[in-house]
Amino acid sequence: MMKVALTEWQESATCCWCEKERECVSTTFSDGFLKEALMCWKCLQTAFKVRSRQQTDKGQPEKPATSN
């Protein structure tokens, strides 16, 4: 199971994802995806969704190729 640690809040910092000046938190994903990365709340949600989908996709077997 993936865990995300939020350790430090910054009233104004540059988000590593969208590169905009916003309220950010220091974010570390337990699987190593990001480590101590400053992210705004919106981008944190997006990053979590992206990483969750990647882990779900890895667990599913590949679909066999079909010929037409």
Side-chain angles (χ1 to χ4, degrees):
M1 174 176 30
M2 178 181 56
K3 294 182 182 181
V4 179
L6 308 178
T7 55
E8 187 179 332
W9 171 77
Q10 298 285 330
E11 186 174 348
S12 182
T14 302
C15 173
C16 73
W17 197 276
C18 68
E19 298 182 345
K20 294 181 182 175
E21 192 76 16
R22 297 191 171 178
E23 179 181 354
C24 293
V25 290
S26 181
T27 307
T28 299
F29 283 69
S30 62
D31 64 357
F33 177 53
L34 295 169
K35 185 176 180 182
E36 298 180 16
L38 289 172
M39 300 186 80
C40 67
W41 291 108
K42 181 181 176 189
C43 292
L44 173 58
Q45 290 175 332
T46 302
F48 186 83
K49 288 176 189 176
V50 167
R51 194 63 183 154
S52 294
R53 287 183 190 140
Q54 287 177 338
Q55 288 186 340
T56 301
D57 292 345
K58 276 198 259 182
Q60 297 175 353
E62 290 186 32
K63 293 179 183 177
T66 57
S67 57
N68 295 337

Tab-separated table of all heavy atoms in Angstrom:
chain	number	residue	atom	x	y	z
A	1	MET	N	0.830	-1.169	0.000
A	1	MET	CA	0.000	0.000	0.000
A	1	MET	C	0.884	1.245	0.000
A	1	MET	O	1.837	1.342	0.752
A	1	MET	CB	-0.911	0.000	1.227
A	1	MET	CG	-1.682	1.273	1.328
A	1	MET	SD	-2.921	1.507	2.610
A	1	MET	CE	-2.430	0.579	3.986
A	2	MET	N	0.544	2.191	-0.848
A	2	MET	CA	1.300	3.431	-0.944
A	2	MET	C	0.866	4.387	0.165
A	2	MET	O	-0.312	4.522	0.450
A	2	MET	CB	1.051	4.090	-2.303
A	2	MET	CG	1.756	5.401	-2.463
A	2	MET	SD	1.446	6.191	-4.054
A	2	MET	CE	-0.308	6.312	-4.115
A	3	LYS	N	1.851	5.036	0.781
A	3	LYS	CA	1.578	6.055	1.784
A	3	LYS	C	2.232	7.349	1.343
A	3	LYS	O	3.263	7.343	0.680
A	3	LYS	CB	2.126	5.639	3.141
A	3	LYS	CG	1.427	4.426	3.704
A	3	LYS	CD	1.966	4.082	5.059
A	3	LYS	CE	1.281	2.833	5.569
A	3	LYS	NZ	1.757	2.479	6.894
A	4	VAL	N	1.612	8.471	1.730
A	4	VAL	CA	2.149	9.787	1.410
A	4	VAL	C	2.330	10.550	2.712
A	4	VAL	O	1.395	10.673	3.493
A	4	VAL	CB	1.203	10.567	0.468
A	4	VAL	CG1	1.762	11.936	0.159
A	4	VAL	CG2	0.971	9.799	-0.820
A	5	ALA	N	3.537	11.035	2.945
A	5	ALA	CA	3.834	11.806	4.154
A	5	ALA	C	3.891	13.287	3.806
A	5	ALA	O	4.585	13.685	2.873
A	5	ALA	CB	5.157	11.360	4.750
A	6	LEU	N	3.131	14.086	4.546
A	6	LEU	CA	3.151	15.540	4.401
A	6	LEU	C	3.842	16.079	5.631
A	6	LEU	O	3.371	15.883	6.746
A	6	LEU	CB	1.727	16.091	4.307
A	6	LEU	CG	0.828	15.441	3.253
A	6	LEU	CD1	-0.566	16.038	3.308
A	6	LEU	CD2	1.425	15.590	1.869
A	7	THR	N	5.004	16.732	5.442
A	7	THR	CA	5.795	17.084	6.609
A	7	THR	C	5.942	18.566	6.887
A	7	THR	O	6.127	18.959	8.029
A	7	THR	CB	7.211	16.476	6.502
A	7	THR	OG1	7.791	16.902	5.284
A	7	THR	CG2	7.142	14.962	6.561
A	8	GLU	N	5.889	19.406	5.878
A	8	GLU	CA	6.127	20.823	6.123
A	8	GLU	C	5.204	21.659	5.250
A	8	GLU	O	5.067	21.405	4.058
A	8	GLU	CB	7.582	21.163	5.809
A	8	GLU	CG	7.983	22.560	6.175
A	8	GLU	CD	9.447	22.838	5.860
A	8	GLU	OE1	10.249	21.886	5.875
A	8	GLU	OE2	9.753	23.990	5.578
A	9	TRP	N	4.573	22.653	5.841
A	9	TRP	CA	3.684	23.550	5.121
A	9	TRP	C	4.402	24.856	4.816
A	9	TRP	O	5.104	25.387	5.672
A	9	TRP	CB	2.435	23.812	5.968
A	9	TRP	CG	1.548	24.878	5.421
A	9	TRP	CD1	0.687	24.765	4.366
A	9	TRP	CD2	1.426	26.226	5.886
A	9	TRP	NE1	0.039	25.955	4.143
A	9	TRP	CE2	0.483	26.876	5.081
A	9	TRP	CE3	2.032	26.942	6.903
A	9	TRP	CZ2	0.125	28.203	5.254
A	9	TRP	CZ3	1.676	28.271	7.080
A	9	TRP	CH2	0.730	28.884	6.264
A	10	GLN	N	4.265	25.329	3.599
A	10	GLN	CA	4.845	26.612	3.183
A	10	GLN	C	3.702	27.512	2.706
A	10	GLN	O	2.931	27.120	1.832
A	10	GLN	CB	5.826	26.420	2.023
A	10	GLN	CG	7.016	25.564	2.341
A	10	GLN	CD	8.026	26.309	3.191
A	10	GLN	OE1	8.160	27.515	3.119
A	10	GLN	NE2	8.730	25.564	4.020
A	11	GLU	N	3.613	28.700	3.286
A	11	GLU	CA	2.548	29.624	2.877
A	11	GLU	C	2.688	30.024	1.410
A	11	GLU	O	1.706	30.171	0.688
A	11	GLU	CB	2.564	30.865	3.760
A	11	GLU	CG	1.403	31.795	3.491
A	11	GLU	CD	1.343	32.953	4.463
A	11	GLU	OE1	2.060	32.938	5.482
A	11	GLU	OE2	0.565	33.870	4.194
A	12	SER	N	3.924	30.138	0.945
A	12	SER	CA	4.173	30.501	-0.438
A	12	SER	C	5.460	29.822	-0.904
A	12	SER	O	6.535	30.070	-0.366
A	12	SER	CB	4.304	32.020	-0.567
A	12	SER	OG	4.494	32.383	-1.905
A	13	ALA	N	5.325	28.964	-1.907
A	13	ALA	CA	6.475	28.243	-2.461
A	13	ALA	C	6.142	27.853	-3.903
A	13	ALA	O	4.986	27.913	-4.316
A	13	ALA	CB	6.782	26.998	-1.635
A	14	THR	N	7.148	27.436	-4.644
A	14	THR	CA	6.937	26.995	-6.018
A	14	THR	C	6.628	25.499	-6.032
A	14	THR	O	7.429	24.682	-5.574
A	14	THR	CB	8.182	27.281	-6.884
A	14	THR	OG1	8.451	28.688	-6.835
A	14	THR	CG2	7.958	26.869	-8.324
A	15	CYS	N	5.473	25.152	-6.567
A	15	CYS	CA	5.056	23.744	-6.680
A	15	CYS	C	5.950	23.049	-7.710
A	15	CYS	O	6.164	23.569	-8.811
A	15	CYS	CB	3.589	23.685	-7.108
A	15	CYS	SG	2.997	22.021	-7.477
A	16	CYS	N	6.467	21.882	-7.371
A	16	CYS	CA	7.351	21.155	-8.290
A	16	CYS	C	6.590	20.583	-9.482
A	16	CYS	O	7.191	20.241	-10.492
A	16	CYS	CB	8.098	20.045	-7.553
A	16	CYS	SG	7.083	18.636	-7.121
A	17	TRP	N	5.276	20.475	-9.387
A	17	TRP	CA	4.470	19.865	-10.450
A	17	TRP	C	4.020	20.917	-11.467
A	17	TRP	O	4.268	20.779	-12.655
A	17	TRP	CB	3.268	19.163	-9.823
A	17	TRP	CG	2.579	18.182	-10.693
A	17	TRP	CD1	1.633	18.454	-11.625
A	17	TRP	CD2	2.743	16.763	-10.717
A	17	TRP	NE1	1.189	17.299	-12.215
A	17	TRP	CE2	1.858	16.242	-11.670
A	17	TRP	CE3	3.542	15.884	-9.999
A	17	TRP	CZ2	1.746	14.889	-11.931
A	17	TRP	CZ3	3.424	14.526	-10.265
A	17	TRP	CH2	2.547	14.038	-11.219
A	18	CYS	N	3.352	21.987	-10.999
A	18	CYS	CA	2.831	23.013	-11.906
A	18	CYS	C	3.754	24.219	-12.028
A	18	CYS	O	3.551	25.074	-12.884
A	18	CYS	CB	1.443	23.469	-11.460
A	18	CYS	SG	1.395	24.389	-9.899
A	19	GLU	N	4.754	24.290	-11.149
A	19	GLU	CA	5.753	25.350	-11.137
A	19	GLU	C	5.154	26.742	-10.916
A	19	GLU	O	5.683	27.738	-11.381
A	19	GLU	CB	6.598	25.317	-12.413
A	19	GLU	CG	7.363	24.021	-12.548
A	19	GLU	CD	8.254	23.969	-13.778
A	19	GLU	OE1	8.095	24.809	-14.691
A	19	GLU	OE2	9.115	23.081	-13.824
A	20	LYS	N	4.030	26.791	-10.174
A	20	LYS	CA	3.402	28.064	-9.825
A	20	LYS	C	3.650	28.355	-8.349
A	20	LYS	O	3.814	27.431	-7.549
A	20	LYS	CB	1.902	28.023	-10.105
A	20	LYS	CG	1.579	27.911	-11.581
A	20	LYS	CD	0.097	27.895	-11.802
A	20	LYS	CE	-0.203	27.734	-13.297
A	20	LYS	NZ	-1.632	27.595	-13.538
A	21	GLU	N	3.649	29.620	-8.014
A	21	GLU	CA	3.832	30.057	-6.633
A	21	GLU	C	2.488	29.884	-5.917
A	21	GLU	O	1.503	30.525	-6.274
A	21	GLU	CB	4.277	31.523	-6.613
A	21	GLU	CG	4.754	31.998	-5.284
A	21	GLU	CD	6.157	31.510	-4.935
A	21	GLU	OE1	6.895	31.050	-5.811
A	21	GLU	OE2	6.493	31.595	-3.757
A	22	ARG	N	2.472	28.979	-4.926
A	22	ARG	CA	1.227	28.667	-4.221
A	22	ARG	C	1.523	28.203	-2.802
A	22	ARG	O	2.672	27.987	-2.426
A	22	ARG	CB	0.485	27.539	-4.927
A	22	ARG	CG	0.059	27.889	-6.320
A	22	ARG	CD	-0.860	26.892	-6.871
A	22	ARG	NE	-1.393	27.413	-8.139
A	22	ARG	CZ	-2.205	26.756	-8.898
A	22	ARG	NH1	-2.604	25.559	-8.563
A	22	ARG	NH2	-2.647	27.281	-10.012
A	23	GLU	N	0.471	27.985	-2.045
A	23	GLU	CA	0.588	27.343	-0.731
A	23	GLU	C	0.964	25.879	-0.997
A	23	GLU	O	0.320	25.208	-1.800
A	23	GLU	CB	-0.757	27.429	-0.015
A	23	GLU	CG	-0.792	26.785	1.328
A	23	GLU	CD	-2.157	26.892	1.973
A	23	GLU	OE1	-3.049	27.568	1.437
A	23	GLU	OE2	-2.324	26.262	3.023
A	24	CYS	N	2.028	25.394	-0.374
A	24	CYS	CA	2.533	24.053	-0.672
A	24	CYS	C	2.824	23.259	0.602
A	24	CYS	O	2.989	23.833	1.676
A	24	CYS	CB	3.825	24.137	-1.483
A	24	CYS	SG	3.623	24.805	-3.140
A	25	VAL	N	2.917	21.951	0.428
A	25	VAL	CA	3.348	21.056	1.501
A	25	VAL	C	4.493	20.208	0.982
A	25	VAL	O	4.570	19.894	-0.207
A	25	VAL	CB	2.208	20.138	2.010
A	25	VAL	CG1	1.171	20.928	2.756
A	25	VAL	CG2	1.574	19.358	0.883
A	26	SER	N	5.392	19.826	1.866
A	26	SER	CA	6.486	18.939	1.516
A	26	SER	C	5.924	17.516	1.477
A	26	SER	O	5.335	17.049	2.447
A	26	SER	CB	7.598	19.042	2.551
A	26	SER	OG	8.662	18.201	2.199
A	27	THR	N	6.091	16.858	0.344
A	27	THR	CA	5.436	15.576	0.085
A	27	THR	C	6.450	14.480	-0.211
A	27	THR	O	7.343	14.665	-1.036
A	27	THR	CB	4.507	15.723	-1.138
A	27	THR	OG1	3.637	16.829	-0.927
A	27	THR	CG2	3.701	14.477	-1.384
A	28	THR	N	6.297	13.330	0.459
A	28	THR	CA	7.131	12.161	0.191
A	28	THR	C	6.231	10.941	0.010
A	28	THR	O	5.414	10.632	0.870
A	28	THR	CB	8.121	11.905	1.346
A	28	THR	OG1	8.965	13.056	1.473
A	28	THR	CG2	8.969	10.674	1.086
A	29	PHE	N	6.370	10.272	-1.134
A	29	PHE	CA	5.634	9.037	-1.408
A	29	PHE	C	6.473	7.862	-0.913
A	29	PHE	O	7.678	7.808	-1.170
A	29	PHE	CB	5.370	8.890	-2.910
A	29	PHE	CG	4.247	9.752	-3.433
A	29	PHE	CD1	4.371	11.130	-3.502
A	29	PHE	CD2	3.067	9.177	-3.872
A	29	PHE	CE1	3.350	11.927	-3.990
A	29	PHE	CE2	2.038	9.957	-4.366
A	29	PHE	CZ	2.176	11.341	-4.423
A	30	SER	N	5.847	6.910	-0.254
A	30	SER	CA	6.577	5.776	0.334
A	30	SER	C	7.264	4.909	-0.715
A	30	SER	O	8.238	4.237	-0.410
A	30	SER	CB	5.634	4.921	1.183
A	30	SER	OG	4.600	4.367	0.380
A	31	ASP	N	6.774	4.932	-1.959
A	31	ASP	CA	7.377	4.106	-3.007
A	31	ASP	C	8.518	4.811	-3.740
A	31	ASP	O	9.062	4.283	-4.700
A	31	ASP	CB	6.307	3.651	-4.005
A	31	ASP	CG	5.675	4.800	-4.770
A	31	ASP	OD1	6.018	5.976	-4.512
A	31	ASP	OD2	4.821	4.522	-5.637
A	32	GLY	N	8.877	6.029	-3.302
A	32	GLY	CA	9.991	6.738	-3.903
A	32	GLY	C	9.630	7.606	-5.095
A	32	GLY	O	10.497	8.232	-5.691
A	33	PHE	N	8.368	7.666	-5.455
A	33	PHE	CA	7.910	8.479	-6.594
A	33	PHE	C	8.361	9.924	-6.432
A	33	PHE	O	8.902	10.516	-7.360
A	33	PHE	CB	6.386	8.370	-6.706
A	33	PHE	CG	5.765	9.202	-7.790
A	33	PHE	CD1	6.198	9.121	-9.099
A	33	PHE	CD2	4.708	10.052	-7.498
A	33	PHE	CE1	5.603	9.878	-10.095
A	33	PHE	CE2	4.110	10.802	-8.488
A	33	PHE	CZ	4.555	10.713	-9.787
A	34	LEU	N	8.143	10.521	-5.272
A	34	LEU	CA	8.606	11.871	-4.940
A	34	LEU	C	9.162	11.850	-3.528
A	34	LEU	O	8.654	11.120	-2.670
A	34	LEU	CB	7.460	12.886	-5.014
A	34	LEU	CG	6.849	13.134	-6.384
A	34	LEU	CD1	5.575	13.954	-6.249
A	34	LEU	CD2	7.835	13.852	-7.291
A	35	LYS	N	10.193	12.656	-3.294
A	35	LYS	CA	10.784	12.712	-1.964
A	35	LYS	C	10.982	14.173	-1.576
A	35	LYS	O	11.707	14.899	-2.261
A	35	LYS	CB	12.117	11.967	-1.930
A	35	LYS	CG	12.716	11.903	-0.548
A	35	LYS	CD	13.983	11.074	-0.521
A	35	LYS	CE	14.532	11.062	0.891
A	35	LYS	NZ	15.774	10.326	0.986
A	36	GLU	N	10.315	14.583	-0.505
A	36	GLU	CA	10.391	15.949	0.017
A	36	GLU	C	10.149	16.990	-1.073
A	36	GLU	O	10.843	18.003	-1.148
A	36	GLU	CB	11.716	16.174	0.735
A	36	GLU	CG	11.888	15.262	1.942
A	36	GLU	CD	13.209	15.482	2.665
A	36	GLU	OE1	13.869	16.517	2.438
A	36	GLU	OE2	13.572	14.606	3.473
A	37	ALA	N	9.176	16.741	-1.928
A	37	ALA	CA	8.834	17.648	-3.021
A	37	ALA	C	7.755	18.622	-2.555
A	37	ALA	O	6.768	18.207	-1.951
A	37	ALA	CB	8.323	16.848	-4.217
A	38	LEU	N	7.947	19.905	-2.827
A	38	LEU	CA	6.936	20.900	-2.480
A	38	LEU	C	5.841	20.863	-3.537
A	38	LEU	O	6.112	21.008	-4.735
A	38	LEU	CB	7.558	22.293	-2.401
A	38	LEU	CG	8.477	22.520	-1.205
A	38	LEU	CD1	9.186	23.861	-1.335
A	38	LEU	CD2	7.695	22.456	0.092
A	39	MET	N	4.602	20.647	-3.079
A	39	MET	CA	3.470	20.552	-3.994
A	39	MET	C	2.280	21.316	-3.445
A	39	MET	O	2.023	21.301	-2.244
A	39	MET	CB	3.055	19.090	-4.189
A	39	MET	CG	4.144	18.216	-4.751
A	39	MET	SD	3.553	16.572	-5.104
A	39	MET	CE	2.760	16.888	-6.654
A	40	CYS	N	1.539	21.960	-4.359
A	40	CYS	CA	0.286	22.600	-3.956
A	40	CYS	C	-0.767	21.495	-3.796
A	40	CYS	O	-0.586	20.363	-4.253
A	40	CYS	CB	-0.149	23.652	-4.982
A	40	CYS	SG	-0.633	23.021	-6.604
A	41	TRP	N	-1.863	21.827	-3.145
A	41	TRP	CA	-2.890	20.814	-2.855
A	41	TRP	C	-3.472	20.208	-4.127
A	41	TRP	O	-3.692	19.003	-4.209
A	41	TRP	CB	-3.996	21.411	-1.997
A	41	TRP	CG	-3.538	21.735	-0.618
A	41	TRP	CD1	-3.327	22.977	-0.094
A	41	TRP	CD2	-3.185	20.804	0.422
A	41	TRP	NE1	-2.874	22.877	1.201
A	41	TRP	CE2	-2.779	21.555	1.543
A	41	TRP	CE3	-3.175	19.421	0.505
A	41	TRP	CZ2	-2.382	20.977	2.729
A	41	TRP	CZ3	-2.775	18.834	1.695
A	41	TRP	CH2	-2.382	19.592	2.786
A	42	LYS	N	-3.724	21.031	-5.130
A	42	LYS	CA	-4.303	20.541	-6.387
A	42	LYS	C	-3.368	19.530	-7.057
A	42	LYS	O	-3.789	18.455	-7.482
A	42	LYS	CB	-4.580	21.711	-7.326
A	42	LYS	CG	-5.206	21.291	-8.623
A	42	LYS	CD	-5.450	22.478	-9.527
A	42	LYS	CE	-5.995	21.992	-10.859
A	42	LYS	NZ	-6.066	23.046	-11.843
A	43	CYS	N	-2.095	19.872	-7.146
A	43	CYS	CA	-1.135	18.979	-7.796
A	43	CYS	C	-0.865	17.730	-6.963
A	43	CYS	O	-0.611	16.658	-7.523
A	43	CYS	CB	0.155	19.728	-8.100
A	43	CYS	SG	-0.068	20.991	-9.377
A	44	LEU	N	-0.932	17.848	-5.646
A	44	LEU	CA	-0.781	16.682	-4.786
A	44	LEU	C	-1.873	15.662	-5.094
A	44	LEU	O	-1.600	14.470	-5.230
A	44	LEU	CB	-0.819	17.081	-3.313
A	44	LEU	CG	-0.828	15.943	-2.296
A	44	LEU	CD1	0.395	15.047	-2.450
A	44	LEU	CD2	-0.914	16.506	-0.888
A	45	GLN	N	-3.094	16.132	-5.260
A	45	GLN	CA	-4.194	15.231	-5.611
A	45	GLN	C	-3.946	14.568	-6.964
A	45	GLN	O	-4.144	13.359	-7.127
A	45	GLN	CB	-5.516	15.986	-5.646
A	45	GLN	CG	-5.992	16.417	-4.287
A	45	GLN	CD	-7.246	17.259	-4.365
A	45	GLN	OE1	-7.491	17.944	-5.360
A	45	GLN	NE2	-8.036	17.221	-3.321
A	46	THR	N	-3.493	15.352	-7.921
A	46	THR	CA	-3.215	14.816	-9.256
A	46	THR	C	-2.088	13.785	-9.202
A	46	THR	O	-2.204	12.700	-9.786
A	46	THR	CB	-2.837	15.954	-10.225
A	46	THR	OG1	-3.908	16.891	-10.269
A	46	THR	CG2	-2.568	15.426	-11.618
A	47	ALA	N	-1.016	14.097	-8.513
A	47	ALA	CA	0.117	13.172	-8.406
A	47	ALA	C	-0.304	11.866	-7.738
A	47	ALA	O	0.108	10.784	-8.163
A	47	ALA	CB	1.256	13.816	-7.621
A	48	PHE	N	-1.133	11.963	-6.707
A	48	PHE	CA	-1.599	10.764	-6.017
A	48	PHE	C	-2.431	9.898	-6.961
A	48	PHE	O	-2.261	8.680	-7.015
A	48	PHE	CB	-2.416	11.147	-4.773
A	48	PHE	CG	-2.805	9.967	-3.951
A	48	PHE	CD1	-1.920	9.432	-3.034
A	48	PHE	CD2	-4.055	9.381	-4.099
A	48	PHE	CE1	-2.269	8.321	-2.277
A	48	PHE	CE2	-4.404	8.268	-3.344
A	48	PHE	CZ	-3.512	7.753	-2.436
A	49	LYS	N	-3.310	10.517	-7.734
A	49	LYS	CA	-4.138	9.769	-8.694
A	49	LYS	C	-3.270	9.094	-9.751
A	49	LYS	O	-3.469	7.924	-10.083
A	49	LYS	CB	-5.149	10.691	-9.366
A	49	LYS	CG	-6.267	11.121	-8.474
A	49	LYS	CD	-7.174	12.101	-9.198
A	49	LYS	CE	-8.182	12.711	-8.260
A	49	LYS	NZ	-9.007	13.732	-8.939
A	50	VAL	N	-2.294	9.833	-10.287
A	50	VAL	CA	-1.406	9.289	-11.317
A	50	VAL	C	-0.644	8.084	-10.778
A	50	VAL	O	-0.590	7.027	-11.404
A	50	VAL	CB	-0.423	10.374	-11.818
A	50	VAL	CG1	0.710	9.768	-12.637
A	50	VAL	CG2	-1.161	11.421	-12.625
A	51	ARG	N	-0.059	8.234	-9.595
A	51	ARG	CA	0.736	7.140	-9.022
A	51	ARG	C	-0.136	5.940	-8.670
A	51	ARG	O	0.273	4.793	-8.872
A	51	ARG	CB	1.496	7.640	-7.778
A	51	ARG	CG	2.565	6.703	-7.358
A	51	ARG	CD	3.597	6.592	-8.462
A	51	ARG	NE	4.603	5.642	-8.096
A	51	ARG	CZ	5.334	4.966	-8.959
A	51	ARG	NH1	5.168	5.154	-10.244
A	51	ARG	NH2	6.234	4.117	-8.559
A	52	SER	N	-1.332	6.191	-8.177
A	52	SER	CA	-2.246	5.098	-7.848
A	52	SER	C	-2.623	4.306	-9.092
A	52	SER	O	-2.675	3.081	-9.060
A	52	SER	CB	-3.515	5.635	-7.183
A	52	SER	OG	-3.213	6.202	-5.940
A	53	ARG	N	-2.867	5.003	-10.187
A	53	ARG	CA	-3.206	4.326	-11.446
A	53	ARG	C	-2.036	3.498	-11.956
A	53	ARG	O	-2.222	2.401	-12.472
A	53	ARG	CB	-3.619	5.336	-12.507
A	53	ARG	CG	-4.976	5.915	-12.253
A	53	ARG	CD	-5.391	6.850	-13.356
A	53	ARG	NE	-6.587	7.551	-12.960
A	53	ARG	CZ	-6.815	8.834	-13.199
A	53	ARG	NH1	-5.918	9.552	-13.857
A	53	ARG	NH2	-7.935	9.406	-12.800
A	54	GLN	N	-0.815	4.013	-11.820
A	54	GLN	CA	0.359	3.268	-12.270
A	54	GLN	C	0.508	1.977	-11.485
A	54	GLN	O	0.816	0.940	-12.048
A	54	GLN	CB	1.620	4.120	-12.129
A	54	GLN	CG	1.715	5.222	-13.139
A	54	GLN	CD	2.936	6.095	-12.932
A	54	GLN	OE1	3.502	6.143	-11.838
A	54	GLN	NE2	3.335	6.809	-13.964
A	55	GLN	N	0.277	2.020	-10.192
A	55	GLN	CA	0.399	0.821	-9.368
A	55	GLN	C	-0.714	-0.169	-9.687
A	55	GLN	O	-0.489	-1.366	-9.712
A	55	GLN	CB	0.393	1.179	-7.887
A	55	GLN	CG	1.667	1.854	-7.467
A	55	GLN	CD	1.749	2.093	-5.977
A	55	GLN	OE1	0.747	2.108	-5.278
A	55	GLN	NE2	2.954	2.287	-5.488
A	56	THR	N	-1.916	0.317	-9.964
A	56	THR	CA	-3.037	-0.552	-10.314
A	56	THR	C	-2.772	-1.225	-11.650
A	56	THR	O	-3.006	-2.407	-11.816
A	56	THR	CB	-4.348	0.265	-10.394
A	56	THR	OG1	-4.576	0.871	-9.129
A	56	THR	CG2	-5.518	-0.623	-10.738
A	57	ASP	N	-2.253	-0.465	-12.616
A	57	ASP	CA	-1.964	-1.017	-13.938
A	57	ASP	C	-0.894	-2.101	-13.877
A	57	ASP	O	-0.943	-3.071	-14.615
A	57	ASP	CB	-1.519	0.083	-14.906
A	57	ASP	CG	-2.650	1.048	-15.247
A	57	ASP	OD1	-3.819	0.708	-14.975
A	57	ASP	OD2	-2.365	2.137	-15.770
A	58	LYS	N	0.089	-1.961	-12.987
A	58	LYS	CA	1.163	-2.957	-12.866
A	58	LYS	C	0.616	-4.288	-12.378
A	58	LYS	O	1.115	-5.334	-12.754
A	58	LYS	CB	2.237	-2.473	-11.888
A	58	LYS	CG	3.254	-1.570	-12.500
A	58	LYS	CD	4.470	-1.497	-11.616
A	58	LYS	CE	4.465	-0.230	-10.817
A	58	LYS	NZ	5.629	-0.073	-9.969
A	59	GLY	N	-0.412	-4.247	-11.546
A	59	GLY	CA	-0.947	-5.454	-10.963
A	59	GLY	C	-1.859	-6.238	-11.889
A	59	GLY	O	-2.181	-7.379	-11.636
A	60	GLN	N	-2.270	-5.643	-12.999
A	60	GLN	CA	-3.178	-6.314	-13.919
A	60	GLN	C	-2.394	-6.973	-15.042
A	60	GLN	O	-1.438	-6.403	-15.558
A	60	GLN	CB	-4.163	-5.306	-14.515
A	60	GLN	CG	-5.063	-4.680	-13.481
A	60	GLN	CD	-5.952	-3.596	-14.075
A	60	GLN	OE1	-5.800	-3.225	-15.237
A	60	GLN	NE2	-6.855	-3.078	-13.291
A	61	PRO	N	-2.787	-8.171	-15.441
A	61	PRO	CA	-2.094	-8.833	-16.547
A	61	PRO	C	-2.337	-8.092	-17.856
A	61	PRO	O	-3.363	-7.446	-18.033
A	61	PRO	CB	-2.717	-10.228	-16.591
A	61	PRO	CG	-4.011	-10.107	-15.863
A	61	PRO	CD	-3.863	-8.972	-14.896
A	62	GLU	N	-1.356	-8.166	-18.737
A	62	GLU	CA	-1.504	-7.511	-20.029
A	62	GLU	C	-2.570	-8.214	-20.842
A	62	GLU	O	-2.730	-9.432	-20.789
A	62	GLU	CB	-0.182	-7.544	-20.790
A	62	GLU	CG	0.874	-6.642	-20.196
A	62	GLU	CD	2.112	-6.601	-21.054
A	62	GLU	OE1	1.989	-6.725	-22.290
A	62	GLU	OE2	3.200	-6.467	-20.488
A	63	LYS	N	-3.291	-7.425	-21.640
A	63	LYS	CA	-4.327	-7.993	-22.498
A	63	LYS	C	-3.641	-8.649	-23.693
A	63	LYS	O	-2.715	-8.072	-24.267
A	63	LYS	CB	-5.279	-6.910	-22.983
A	63	LYS	CG	-6.103	-6.308	-21.854
A	63	LYS	CD	-7.006	-5.220	-22.382
A	63	LYS	CE	-7.774	-4.586	-21.239
A	63	LYS	NZ	-8.600	-3.473	-21.687
A	64	PRO	N	-4.084	-9.827	-24.092
A	64	PRO	CA	-3.470	-10.476	-25.252
A	64	PRO	C	-3.790	-9.710	-26.529
A	64	PRO	O	-4.851	-9.100	-26.651
A	64	PRO	CB	-4.111	-11.871	-25.268
A	64	PRO	CG	-5.349	-11.749	-24.446
A	64	PRO	CD	-5.127	-10.622	-23.482
A	65	ALA	N	-2.848	-9.732	-27.456
A	65	ALA	CA	-3.057	-9.069	-28.746
A	65	ALA	C	-4.111	-9.822	-29.544
A	65	ALA	O	-4.150	-11.052	-29.521
A	65	ALA	CB	-1.748	-9.025	-29.528
A	66	THR	N	-4.958	-9.099	-30.203
A	66	THR	CA	-5.992	-9.742	-31.017
A	66	THR	C	-5.728	-9.403	-32.475
A	66	THR	O	-5.264	-8.305	-32.805
A	66	THR	CB	-7.407	-9.255	-30.636
A	66	THR	OG1	-7.449	-7.830	-30.764
A	66	THR	CG2	-7.750	-9.649	-29.210
A	67	SER	N	-6.029	-10.330	-33.332
A	67	SER	CA	-5.861	-10.073	-34.772
A	67	SER	C	-7.222	-9.832	-35.369
A	67	SER	O	-8.225	-10.425	-34.976
A	67	SER	CB	-5.175	-11.253	-35.454
A	67	SER	OG	-5.927	-12.426	-35.235
A	68	ASN	N	-7.260	-8.943	-36.331
A	68	ASN	CA	-8.544	-8.600	-36.975
A	68	ASN	C	-8.745	-9.371	-38.225
A	68	ASN	O	-8.061	-9.665	-39.018
A	68	ASN	CB	-8.619	-7.102	-37.274
A	68	ASN	CG	-8.630	-6.300	-35.979
A	68	ASN	OD1	-8.998	-6.830	-34.932
A	68	ASN	ND2	-8.244	-5.053	-36.075
